Amino acid sequence: MNPLRVRPSPVPRIRDRGAAVEGVIAAAVALVVVVIALVLLRLPDTVDRLVVRNDTPFELRILASPGSGGWTPVGVVGAASTVEVRDVIDHGRSWTFAFSYAGEDGGTVTVERTDLVSAGWELVVPAEVGERLSSAGLAPSA
């Protein structure tokens, strides 16, 4: 007769709960770091389009600021022309624009957001910008 062979049932392993807790903590910390990074690296709000009309004879480089520094480029508008700039950083309630040509300061103008909205987001370069650049002895680019 063959004796009945019985295998002992496997003993369940007791998992190391410390390692499981460490894994949960590590995942939670990683999630917090990702959320903080997303908040800090959030792209700034933008305005869909800004139309710039330049009646001066100078090709102008335009920067914008909320009025407290932090200039951002808007674009370049040719002499006696109009350009539509897309996705311009939104500077809030008050926008200050700076104009230059050939490295020469053409001056600044501050425009309230409400005025930009009522003008259909069109900025007309002040005539004083062209006058200032002409007074500096610069030859027109047009």
Side-chain angles (χ1 to χ4, degrees), residues 52-76:
V52 180
R53 192 176 86 212
N54 177 17
D55 296 328
T56 76
F58 300 97
E59 179 180 271
L60 299 173
R61 178 174 182 241
I62 305 168
L63 303 174
S65 168
S68 58
W71 295 97
T72 58
V74 172
V76 175

Side-chain angles (χ1 to χ4, degrees), residues 106-130:
T108 62
V109 65
T110 299
V111 183
E112 297 301 314
R113 179 189 189 85
T114 54
D115 295 333
L116 286 169
V117 170
S118 65
W121 287 99
E122 181 178 6
L123 170 69
V124 178
V125 176
E128 293 81 18
V129 171

Side-chain angles (χ1 to χ4, degrees), residues 16-28:
D16 181 6
R17 291 185 185 188
V21 170
E22 287 175 4
V24 169
I25 291 172

